[in-house]
Amino acid sequence: MRRAFISPAKYVQGEDELLNLGYYVRTFGESALLIAHPEDVARVKAKLDATAGKFNITFIESGFQGECSRQEVARLQAIAKEQRCACTIGLGGGKAIDTAKCVAEGEALIIVPTIAATDAPTSHSAVLYTPEGAFDDYAYFKQSPSVVMIDTTVIANAPTRFLVAGMGDAISTYFEARATARSYSNVNAGLPNGVREGICGDAKGTKTALALAKLCYETLLEDGLKAKLSCDRNVVTPALENIVEANILLSGLGFESGGLAAAHAIHNGLTSLEGTHSYYHGEKVAFSTIAQLVLENADQDELDEVLSFCASVGLPICLADLGVDSISNEELQEVAQKACIPEESIHSMPFPITVEAVAAAIMVADQIGREFKKRKEA
């Protein structure tokens, strides 16, 4: 059996870590193409100026236009070539990070998240969109970022909702990796472009990835609420540090090398409901994790544990929490059908999947969440 595990070459996090960014740029050369929204640059401008001066490097401003599109990637690659940039930096949220991955194409890449809202920073994949913002395609690269660097002072000063959404994304990691391991399904770490390279692209997850996914879940339960309270007060505590690591590193390695299953597929289905559009990825994943547990008839104690955690930090546990106060049978079927398309990760569950079963799981998960809230409010 072929197994695969993928990770960044280096991961580092800490208070004021941005002051060391110039050191990592120096390992590649004297200049870096900086891909970031202007607002994100403004938030950390003093630290960027300080590290540039200390390590005598230059940040080349990219004028990032906000969308990870083929046109924007081509424009930025031209700038990098013209300016002879030694490396690429993706600083900010998901779009800037994914654009940097596409520009760098797996070489000399430094990722600097300014929020801990998803587990994407460590991965070797990106999502491409059209210039208008519609989904285009997935992109995979030969390796993960060279450096993933997180300044936890910056994370602590970002809105708490981002950190909580990251916990919602991370809460699914163990349950999806567990399902993938039970079904012996393939994982993203197994070279999705292997056919073009003459290498078999099929690979199963490792015990290492499953162990990291489990540690991710345990860390959330232990430190999630404390980290939220720390972020509410814009301070860095050991609990906040632990949750940043769980949201980004443990969940990132866990999903890519451990596998995705029903939760992320159901999330994708939920995006067809207009009410969910103002909610973050991780917020939708949190409810979708509950639906996955219903789908697999998980132990009641485990289900209650997840519900209690989500409620404690403010993650959605029913459809109403995602802006969906009511759902018609037609809408429910549309969600389930989208979650069950042949290429979706839901088919990594260790049993056959049907649209009817997924629709039922969503409906029951919603009811369980509503009743849980009523008991808590009583």
Side-chain angles (χ1 to χ4, degrees):
M1 182 187 299
R2 184 171 185 263
R3 301 184 182 188
F5 183 90
I6 192 169
S7 68
K10 189 176 188 69
Y11 175 93
V12 59
Q13 72 172 60
E15 296 176 74
D16 295 321
E17 187 61 33
L18 256 175
L19 296 174
N20 294 324
L21 179 57
Y23 167 81
Y24 296 107
V25 173
R26 265 284 167 192
T27 63
F28 300 107
E30 297 179 355
S31 65
L33 180 69
L34 180 63
I35 299 174
H37 286 284
E39 315 89 81
D40 288 320
V41 173
R43 285 175 60 199
V44 297
K45 187 67 164 58
K47 290 182 179 180
L48 292 176
D49 289 344
T51 195
K54 180 178 180 180
F55 294 99
N56 193 28
I57 55 97
T58 302
F59 295 116
I60 305 299
E61 296 285 346
S62 65
F64 177 51
Q65 296 174 3
E67 197 58 75
C68 183
S69 66
R70 297 176 190 273
Q71 294 85 342
E72 179 70 344
V73 169
R75 184 185 73 82
L76 294 173
Q77 286 178 328
I79 294 175
K81 183 176 181 180
E82 178 185 343
Q83 297 293 328
R84 297 182 179 180
C85 297
C87 64
T88 304
I89 298 171
L91 183 148
K95 293 294 180 72
I97 287 171
D98 275 2
T99 302
K101 290 178 183 179
C102 293
V103 170
E105 296 182 331
E107 298 284 357
L109 173 62
I110 302 173
I111 297 296
V112 187
T114 56
I115 55 176
T118 73
D119 51 18
T122 65
S123 78
H124 77 312
S125 60
V127 183
L128 284 160
Y129 296 85
T130 67
E132 296 73 34
F135 172 78
D136 180 2
D137 199 2
Y138 294 104
Y140 295 90
F141 307 101
K142 65 180 182 181
Q143 59 194 15
S144 299
S146 308
V147 180
V148 176
M149 192 189 78
I150 295 101
D151 187 325
T152 48
T153 308
V154 173
I155 301 294
N157 281 279
T160 303
R161 185 180 173 189
F162 287 124
L163 185 78
V164 172
M167 288 190 261
D169 198 19
I171 196 73
S172 73
T173 305
Y174 170 58
F175 301 110
E176 292 189 281
R178 182 179 70 182
T180 301
R182 288 173 175 174
S183 65
Y184 295 93
S185 295
N186 293 329
V187 298
N188 284 351
L191 296 175
N193 58 345
V195 175
R196 293 195 297 273
E197 298 177 354
I199 301 171
C200 173
D202 293 343
K204 315 306 176 188
T206 61
K207 290 179 69 65
T208 299
L210 184 58
L212 291 173
K214 187 176 183 182
L215 178 60
C216 178
Y217 178 59
E218 293 168 347
T219 303
L220 292 171
L221 295 181
E222 182 174 354
D223 287 321
L225 179 57
K226 291 180 286 184
K228 176 189 179 297
L229 297 175
S230 299
C231 202
D232 284 342
R233 290 156 180 77
N234 305 123
V235 294
V236 178
T237 61
L240 181 76
E241 292 276 8
N242 290 344
I243 291 303
V244 170
E245 182 180 345
N247 284 8
I248 296 176
L249 182 62
L250 294 175
S251 185
L253 300 183
F255 100 78
E256 193 161 41
S257 294
L260 298 175
H264 272 77
I266 293 171
H267 160 278
N268 294 343
L270 289 173
T271 61
S272 65
L273 300 175
E274 186 175 351
T276 69
H277 292 177
S278 62
Y279 291 84
Y280 296 145
H281 170 82
E283 292 171 331
K284 292 191 281 283
V285 170
F287 171 73
S288 300
T289 300
I290 297 167
Q292 174 177 319
L293 292 173
V294 172
L295 182 66
E296 61 186 333
N297 196 27
D299 182 83
Q300 186 63 46
D301 289 342
E302 186 173 70
L303 183 57
D304 287 341
E305 188 173 65
V306 172
L307 286 162
S308 295
F309 169 77
C310 289
S312 73
V313 297
L315 283 167
I317 60 172
C318 65
L319 289 174
D321 292 341
L322 291 171
V324 182
D325 291 318
S326 63
I327 184 170
S328 68
N329 287 333
E330 292 76 14
E331 289 172 326
L332 183 60
Q333 285 296 309
E334 183 182 357
V335 170
Q337 287 170 359
K338 188 171 183 178
C340 292
I341 60 175
E343 58 269 32
E344 265 295 0
S345 59
I346 199 165
H347 301 290
S348 291
M349 296 299 290
F351 45 79
I353 293 295
T354 66
V355 171
E356 293 74 20
V358 173
I362 294 170
M363 186 166 53
V364 172
D366 177 49
Q367 186 63 33
I368 289 173
R370 290 174 187 268
E371 291 181 359
F372 185 88
K373 292 181 71 172
K374 286 180 182 177
R375 292 199 302 273
K376 289 294 182 182
E377 292 167 0

Short mmCIF file of all heavy atoms in Angstrom, two decimals, residues 37-91:
data_model
loop_
_atom_site.label_atom_id
_atom_site.label_comp_id
_atom_site.label_asym_id
_atom_site.label_seq_id
_atom_site.Cartn_x
_atom_site.Cartn_y
_atom_site.Cartn_z
N HIS A 37 -3.30 42.24 0.27
CA HIS A 37 -4.24 43.35 0.16
C HIS A 37 -3.61 44.59 0.81
O HIS A 37 -2.90 44.47 1.82
CB HIS A 37 -5.54 43.02 0.88
CG HIS A 37 -6.41 42.05 0.16
ND1 HIS A 37 -7.16 42.40 -0.94
CD2 HIS A 37 -6.65 40.73 0.37
CE1 HIS A 37 -7.82 41.35 -1.37
NE2 HIS A 37 -7.53 40.31 -0.60
N PRO A 38 -3.86 45.75 0.28
CA PRO A 38 -3.30 46.97 0.87
C PRO A 38 -3.65 47.13 2.35
O PRO A 38 -2.82 47.61 3.13
CB PRO A 38 -3.94 48.09 0.02
CG PRO A 38 -4.22 47.45 -1.30
CD PRO A 38 -4.58 46.02 -0.98
N GLU A 39 -4.88 46.73 2.73
CA GLU A 39 -5.27 46.85 4.14
C GLU A 39 -4.40 45.97 5.04
O GLU A 39 -4.06 46.34 6.17
CB GLU A 39 -6.73 46.47 4.35
CG GLU A 39 -7.70 47.05 3.32
CD GLU A 39 -7.85 46.13 2.12
OE1 GLU A 39 -8.61 45.15 2.19
OE2 GLU A 39 -7.20 46.42 1.09
N ASP A 40 -4.07 44.77 4.55
CA ASP A 40 -3.23 43.87 5.34
C ASP A 40 -1.81 44.41 5.45
O ASP A 40 -1.16 44.29 6.50
CB ASP A 40 -3.22 42.47 4.73
CG ASP A 40 -4.55 41.75 4.94
OD1 ASP A 40 -5.12 41.87 6.03
OD2 ASP A 40 -5.01 41.06 4.01
N VAL A 41 -1.32 44.99 4.37
CA VAL A 41 0.01 45.61 4.42
C VAL A 41 0.02 46.74 5.43
O VAL A 41 0.94 46.88 6.24
CB VAL A 41 0.43 46.13 3.02
CG1 VAL A 41 1.73 46.92 3.11
CG2 VAL A 41 0.57 44.97 2.05
N ALA A 42 -1.04 47.56 5.41
CA ALA A 42 -1.12 48.69 6.33
C ALA A 42 -1.12 48.23 7.79
O ALA A 42 -0.52 48.88 8.65
CB ALA A 42 -2.38 49.50 6.04
N ARG A 43 -1.77 47.10 8.06
CA ARG A 43 -1.84 46.60 9.44
C ARG A 43 -0.47 46.26 10.01
O ARG A 43 -0.24 46.38 11.21
CB ARG A 43 -2.71 45.34 9.49
CG ARG A 43 -4.20 45.57 9.39
CD ARG A 43 -4.95 44.24 9.34
NE ARG A 43 -4.70 43.43 10.52
CZ ARG A 43 -4.92 42.12 10.59
NH1 ARG A 43 -5.37 41.47 9.52
NH2 ARG A 43 -4.70 41.46 11.69
N VAL A 44 0.44 45.82 9.14
CA VAL A 44 1.74 45.35 9.62
C VAL A 44 2.90 46.14 9.02
O VAL A 44 4.04 45.69 9.05
CB VAL A 44 1.91 43.84 9.30
CG1 VAL A 44 0.86 43.02 10.02
CG2 VAL A 44 1.84 43.58 7.80
N LYS A 45 2.62 47.35 8.50
CA LYS A 45 3.63 48.13 7.79
C LYS A 45 4.85 48.40 8.65
O LYS A 45 6.00 48.31 8.17
CB LYS A 45 3.01 49.47 7.35
CG LYS A 45 3.92 50.31 6.46
CD LYS A 45 4.13 49.65 5.10
CE LYS A 45 4.68 50.63 4.08
NZ LYS A 45 5.97 51.23 4.48
N ALA A 46 4.66 48.73 9.90
CA ALA A 46 5.80 49.04 10.77
C ALA A 46 6.73 47.84 10.91
O ALA A 46 7.97 47.99 10.88
CB ALA A 46 5.30 49.50 12.15
N LYS A 47 6.16 46.66 11.03
CA LYS A 47 6.99 45.46 11.17
C LYS A 47 7.69 45.13 9.85
O LYS A 47 8.84 44.67 9.85
CB LYS A 47 6.14 44.27 11.65
CG LYS A 47 5.67 44.40 13.09
CD LYS A 47 4.88 43.18 13.54
CE LYS A 47 4.45 43.33 14.99
NZ LYS A 47 3.68 42.16 15.48
N LEU A 48 7.00 45.32 8.74
CA LEU A 48 7.63 45.08 7.44
C LEU A 48 8.81 46.01 7.22
O LEU A 48 9.87 45.58 6.75
CB LEU A 48 6.60 45.24 6.31
CG LEU A 48 5.49 44.19 6.23
CD1 LEU A 48 4.50 44.56 5.13
CD2 LEU A 48 6.06 42.80 5.98
N ASP A 49 8.63 47.27 7.56
CA ASP A 49 9.72 48.24 7.41
C ASP A 49 10.90 47.88 8.32
O ASP A 49 12.06 47.96 7.92
CB ASP A 49 9.24 49.65 7.74
CG ASP A 49 8.29 50.21 6.69
OD1 ASP A 49 8.24 49.64 5.57
OD2 ASP A 49 7.59 51.20 6.99
N ALA A 50 10.58 47.45 9.54
CA ALA A 50 11.64 47.11 10.50
C ALA A 50 12.45 45.90 10.04
O ALA A 50 13.68 45.90 10.09
CB ALA A 50 11.03 46.85 11.88
N THR A 51 11.76 44.85 9.56
CA THR A 51 12.49 43.65 9.15
C THR A 51 13.24 43.88 7.85
O THR A 51 14.33 43.32 7.65
CB THR A 51 11.54 42.44 9.05
OG1 THR A 51 12.31 41.25 9.00
CG2 THR A 51 10.65 42.50 7.82
N ALA A 52 12.72 44.72 6.97
CA ALA A 52 13.42 45.05 5.72
C ALA A 52 14.72 45.78 6.03
O ALA A 52 15.77 45.49 5.43
CB ALA A 52 12.53 45.89 4.82
N GLY A 53 14.65 46.72 6.98
CA GLY A 53 15.85 47.45 7.35
C GLY A 53 16.88 46.59 8.08
O GLY A 53 18.08 46.65 7.79
N LYS A 54 16.40 45.76 8.98
CA LYS A 54 17.31 44.93 9.77
C LYS A 54 18.08 43.93 8.91
O LYS A 54 19.27 43.69 9.12
CB LYS A 54 16.52 44.18 10.84
CG LYS A 54 17.37 43.27 11.72
CD LYS A 54 16.53 42.60 12.80
CE LYS A 54 17.38 41.69 13.68
NZ LYS A 54 16.57 41.03 14.74
N PHE A 55 17.40 43.33 7.92
CA PHE A 55 18.03 42.29 7.11
C PHE A 55 18.40 42.76 5.70
O PHE A 55 18.82 41.96 4.88
CB PHE A 55 17.10 41.06 7.03
CG PHE A 55 16.90 40.40 8.36
CD1 PHE A 55 15.76 40.64 9.13
CD2 PHE A 55 17.86 39.53 8.87
CE1 PHE A 55 15.58 40.04 10.37
CE2 PHE A 55 17.70 38.93 10.11
CZ PHE A 55 16.56 39.17 10.86
N ASN A 56 18.23 44.07 5.47
CA ASN A 56 18.65 44.68 4.21
C ASN A 56 18.04 43.97 3.00
O ASN A 56 18.75 43.55 2.08
CB ASN A 56 20.18 44.70 4.11
CG ASN A 56 20.67 45.61 2.99
OD1 ASN A 56 19.99 46.58 2.63
ND2 ASN A 56 21.83 45.29 2.44
N ILE A 57 16.72 43.82 3.04
CA ILE A 57 16.03 43.21 1.91
C ILE A 57 14.96 44.18 1.39
O ILE A 57 14.65 45.17 2.05
CB ILE A 57 15.39 41.85 2.28
CG1 ILE A 57 14.46 41.98 3.50
CG2 ILE A 57 16.47 40.82 2.57
CD1 ILE A 57 13.02 42.14 3.15
N THR A 58 14.41 43.88 0.22
CA THR A 58 13.41 44.75 -0.39
C THR A 58 12.12 43.99 -0.66
O THR A 58 12.16 42.87 -1.20
CB THR A 58 13.94 45.30 -1.73
OG1 THR A 58 15.16 46.01 -1.50
CG2 THR A 58 12.92 46.25 -2.37
N PHE A 59 11.00 44.58 -0.27
CA PHE A 59 9.70 44.03 -0.62
C PHE A 59 9.21 44.74 -1.88
O PHE A 59 9.09 45.97 -1.90
CB PHE A 59 8.69 44.23 0.51
CG PHE A 59 9.02 43.48 1.77
CD1 PHE A 59 9.31 44.16 2.95
CD2 PHE A 59 9.04 42.10 1.77
CE1 PHE A 59 9.61 43.45 4.11
CE2 PHE A 59 9.35 41.38 2.93
CZ PHE A 59 9.63 42.07 4.10
N ILE A 60 8.93 43.97 -2.92
CA ILE A 60 8.40 44.53 -4.15
C ILE A 60 6.89 44.51 -4.08
O ILE A 60 6.26 43.45 -4.01
CB ILE A 60 8.88 43.72 -5.38
CG1 ILE A 60 10.41 43.63 -5.41
CG2 ILE A 60 8.33 44.33 -6.67
CD1 ILE A 60 11.11 44.95 -5.50
N GLU A 61 6.28 45.69 -4.05
CA GLU A 61 4.82 45.78 -3.98
C GLU A 61 4.21 45.23 -5.27
O GLU A 61 4.69 45.52 -6.36
CB GLU A 61 4.39 47.22 -3.76
CG GLU A 61 4.84 47.81 -2.42
CD GLU A 61 4.03 47.30 -1.24
OE1 GLU A 61 2.97 46.69 -1.47
OE2 GLU A 61 4.48 47.51 -0.10
N SER A 62 3.12 44.48 -5.13
CA SER A 62 2.54 43.80 -6.29
C SER A 62 1.27 44.45 -6.80
O SER A 62 0.83 44.15 -7.92
CB SER A 62 2.23 42.35 -5.92
OG SER A 62 1.21 42.30 -4.92
N GLY A 63 0.64 45.31 -5.99
CA GLY A 63 -0.65 45.86 -6.38
C GLY A 63 -1.69 44.77 -6.53
O GLY A 63 -2.51 44.79 -7.45
N PHE A 64 -1.69 43.81 -5.61
CA PHE A 64 -2.61 42.67 -5.67
C PHE A 64 -4.04 43.15 -5.82
O PHE A 64 -4.51 43.99 -5.06
CB PHE A 64 -2.45 41.81 -4.43
CG PHE A 64 -3.39 40.64 -4.35
CD1 PHE A 64 -3.52 39.75 -5.40
CD2 PHE A 64 -4.16 40.43 -3.21
CE1 PHE A 64 -4.39 38.68 -5.33
CE2 PHE A 64 -5.02 39.35 -3.12
CZ PHE A 64 -5.15 38.48 -4.19
N GLN A 65 -4.75 42.60 -6.80
CA GLN A 65 -6.08 43.08 -7.14
C GLN A 65 -7.21 42.31 -6.46
O GLN A 65 -8.38 42.53 -6.76
CB GLN A 65 -6.24 43.08 -8.66
CG GLN A 65 -5.29 44.05 -9.34
CD GLN A 65 -5.31 43.99 -10.85
OE1 GLN A 65 -6.09 43.23 -11.45
NE2 GLN A 65 -4.44 44.76 -11.48
N GLY A 66 -6.86 41.36 -5.59
CA GLY A 66 -7.87 40.76 -4.72
C GLY A 66 -8.46 39.45 -5.14
O GLY A 66 -9.17 38.81 -4.37
N GLU A 67 -8.18 38.97 -6.35
CA GLU A 67 -8.75 37.71 -6.82
C GLU A 67 -7.66 36.78 -7.32
O GLU A 67 -6.75 37.20 -8.03
CB GLU A 67 -9.75 37.96 -7.95
CG GLU A 67 -10.67 36.80 -8.22
CD GLU A 67 -11.47 36.40 -6.98
OE1 GLU A 67 -12.42 37.10 -6.62
OE2 GLU A 67 -11.13 35.35 -6.38
N CYS A 68 -7.76 35.51 -6.93
CA CYS A 68 -6.77 34.51 -7.38
C CYS A 68 -7.24 33.97 -8.73
O CYS A 68 -7.83 32.90 -8.83
CB CYS A 68 -6.65 33.38 -6.35
SG CYS A 68 -5.39 32.15 -6.79
N SER A 69 -6.96 34.73 -9.78
CA SER A 69 -7.36 34.36 -11.14
C SER A 69 -6.12 34.08 -11.99
O SER A 69 -5.01 34.50 -11.65
CB SER A 69 -8.16 35.48 -11.79
OG SER A 69 -7.35 36.62 -12.00
N ARG A 70 -6.32 33.39 -13.09
CA ARG A 70 -5.21 33.10 -13.99
C ARG A 70 -4.58 34.39 -14.51
O ARG A 70 -3.35 34.48 -14.65
CB ARG A 70 -5.70 32.24 -15.16
CG ARG A 70 -6.22 30.87 -14.75
CD ARG A 70 -6.78 30.10 -15.94
NE ARG A 70 -7.48 28.91 -15.49
CZ ARG A 70 -6.89 27.73 -15.28
NH1 ARG A 70 -5.59 27.60 -15.49
NH2 ARG A 70 -7.60 26.68 -14.87
N GLN A 71 -5.41 35.39 -14.78
CA GLN A 71 -4.90 36.65 -15.29
C GLN A 71 -4.04 37.38 -14.25
O GLN A 71 -2.98 37.92 -14.58
CB GLN A 71 -6.08 37.55 -15.71
CG GLN A 71 -6.87 37.02 -16.90
CD GLN A 71 -7.96 36.02 -16.51
OE1 GLN A 71 -7.94 35.44 -15.41
NE2 GLN A 71 -8.91 35.80 -17.41
N GLU A 72 -4.51 37.37 -12.99
CA GLU A 72 -3.75 38.02 -11.93
C GLU A 72 -2.44 37.28 -11.67
O GLU A 72 -1.39 37.91 -11.45
CB GLU A 72 -4.60 38.10 -10.65
CG GLU A 72 -3.90 38.74 -9.46
CD GLU A 72 -3.69 40.24 -9.61
OE1 GLU A 72 -3.80 40.77 -10.74
OE2 GLU A 72 -3.40 40.89 -8.59
N VAL A 73 -2.48 35.98 -11.69
CA VAL A 73 -1.25 35.19 -11.49
C VAL A 73 -0.24 35.50 -12.59
O VAL A 73 0.95 35.72 -12.31
CB VAL A 73 -1.59 33.69 -11.47
CG1 VAL A 73 -0.30 32.85 -11.55
CG2 VAL A 73 -2.37 33.33 -10.21
N ALA A 74 -0.69 35.56 -13.84
CA ALA A 74 0.22 35.86 -14.95
C ALA A 74 0.82 37.25 -14.80
O ALA A 74 2.02 37.47 -15.05
CB ALA A 74 -0.52 35.73 -16.27
N ARG A 75 0.01 38.22 -14.39
CA ARG A 75 0.50 39.59 -14.20
C ARG A 75 1.57 39.65 -13.12
O ARG A 75 2.62 40.29 -13.28
CB ARG A 75 -0.68 40.50 -13.82
CG ARG A 75 -0.31 41.97 -13.69
CD ARG A 75 -1.49 42.79 -13.20
NE ARG A 75 -1.79 42.58 -11.79
CZ ARG A 75 -1.13 43.19 -10.78
NH1 ARG A 75 -0.14 44.03 -11.05
NH2 ARG A 75 -1.47 42.95 -9.53
N LEU A 76 1.31 38.96 -12.02
CA LEU A 76 2.26 38.98 -10.91
C LEU A 76 3.54 38.21 -11.24
O LEU A 76 4.63 38.60 -10.82
CB LEU A 76 1.59 38.40 -9.66
CG LEU A 76 0.43 39.25 -9.11
CD1 LEU A 76 -0.28 38.51 -7.99
CD2 LEU A 76 0.93 40.59 -8.62
N GLN A 77 3.42 37.13 -11.98
CA GLN A 77 4.63 36.40 -12.40
C GLN A 77 5.51 37.27 -13.29
O GLN A 77 6.75 37.21 -13.20
CB GLN A 77 4.24 35.11 -13.13
CG GLN A 77 3.71 34.02 -12.20
CD GLN A 77 3.27 32.77 -12.93
OE1 GLN A 77 2.79 32.85 -14.07
NE2 GLN A 77 3.39 31.62 -12.29
N ALA A 78 4.89 38.09 -14.11
CA ALA A 78 5.66 39.00 -14.96
C ALA A 78 6.41 40.03 -14.12
O ALA A 78 7.58 40.35 -14.39
CB ALA A 78 4.73 39.70 -15.96
N ILE A 79 5.76 40.55 -13.08
CA ILE A 79 6.41 41.50 -12.18
C ILE A 79 7.59 40.83 -11.48
O ILE A 79 8.69 41.41 -11.38
CB ILE A 79 5.42 42.05 -11.14
CG1 ILE A 79 4.35 42.89 -11.83
CG2 ILE A 79 6.14 42.85 -10.07
CD1 ILE A 79 3.25 43.37 -10.88
N ALA A 80 7.37 39.60 -10.97
CA ALA A 80 8.44 38.88 -10.27
C ALA A 80 9.65 38.67 -11.18
O ALA A 80 10.81 38.81 -10.74
CB ALA A 80 7.91 37.55 -9.77
N LYS A 81 9.37 38.34 -12.42
CA LYS A 81 10.47 38.13 -13.38
C LYS A 81 11.18 39.43 -13.70
O LYS A 81 12.42 39.51 -13.71
CB LYS A 81 9.92 37.49 -14.65
CG LYS A 81 10.99 37.16 -15.68
CD LYS A 81 10.38 36.45 -16.89
CE LYS A 81 11.47 36.09 -17.91
NZ LYS A 81 10.87 35.40 -19.10
N GLU A 82 10.41 40.47 -13.95
CA GLU A 82 10.99 41.77 -14.31
C GLU A 82 11.83 42.33 -13.16
O GLU A 82 12.91 42.90 -13.37
CB GLU A 82 9.87 42.74 -14.66
CG GLU A 82 10.34 44.15 -15.00
CD GLU A 82 9.18 45.10 -15.22
OE1 GLU A 82 8.05 44.63 -15.44
OE2 GLU A 82 9.42 46.33 -15.17
N GLN A 83 11.35 42.18 -11.93
CA GLN A 83 12.04 42.71 -10.76
C GLN A 83 13.08 41.74 -10.18
O GLN A 83 13.75 42.06 -9.22
CB GLN A 83 11.01 43.05 -9.67
CG GLN A 83 10.03 44.14 -10.07
CD GLN A 83 10.68 45.49 -10.23
OE1 GLN A 83 11.64 45.82 -9.55
NE2 GLN A 83 10.14 46.29 -11.15
N ARG A 84 13.18 40.57 -10.79
CA ARG A 84 14.14 39.55 -10.36
C ARG A 84 13.98 39.22 -8.87
O ARG A 84 14.95 39.17 -8.11
CB ARG A 84 15.58 40.00 -10.65
CG ARG A 84 15.84 40.20 -12.14
CD ARG A 84 17.28 40.60 -12.41
NE ARG A 84 17.52 40.77 -13.84
CZ ARG A 84 18.69 41.11 -14.38
NH1 ARG A 84 19.73 41.34 -13.58
NH2 ARG A 84 18.82 41.25 -15.68
N CYS A 85 12.73 38.99 -8.48
CA CYS A 85 12.44 38.65 -7.08
C CYS A 85 12.98 37.26 -6.75
O CYS A 85 12.79 36.31 -7.52
CB CYS A 85 10.94 38.70 -6.82
SG CYS A 85 10.23 40.35 -7.05
N ALA A 86 13.62 37.15 -5.60
CA ALA A 86 14.21 35.87 -5.20
C ALA A 86 13.18 34.91 -4.63
O ALA A 86 13.41 33.69 -4.62
CB ALA A 86 15.32 36.11 -4.18
N CYS A 87 12.07 35.45 -4.13
CA CYS A 87 11.03 34.59 -3.55
C CYS A 87 9.70 35.32 -3.61
O CYS A 87 9.63 36.50 -3.98
CB CYS A 87 11.37 34.18 -2.12
SG CYS A 87 11.45 35.56 -0.95
N THR A 88 8.65 34.60 -3.24
CA THR A 88 7.29 35.16 -3.22
C THR A 88 6.74 35.06 -1.81
O THR A 88 6.91 34.03 -1.14
CB THR A 88 6.38 34.38 -4.18
OG1 THR A 88 6.94 34.40 -5.48
CG2 THR A 88 4.98 34.98 -4.21
N ILE A 89 6.06 36.13 -1.37
CA ILE A 89 5.42 36.13 -0.06
C ILE A 89 3.91 36.31 -0.26
O ILE A 89 3.47 37.23 -0.95
CB ILE A 89 5.94 37.28 0.83
CG1 ILE A 89 7.43 37.13 1.09
CG2 ILE A 89 5.16 37.33 2.15
CD1 ILE A 89 8.05 38.35 1.77
N GLY A 90 3.14 35.42 0.35
CA GLY A 90 1.68 35.58 0.40
C GLY A 90 1.31 35.99 1.81
O GLY A 90 1.48 35.21 2.75
N LEU A 91 0.83 37.22 1.99
CA LEU A 91 0.53 37.76 3.31
C LEU A 91 -0.94 38.14 3.38
O LEU A 91 -1.43 38.87 2.51
CB LEU A 91 1.43 38.97 3.59
CG LEU A 91 1.31 39.64 4.96
CD1 LEU A 91 2.66 40.21 5.41
CD2 LEU A 91 0.27 40.77 4.94
#
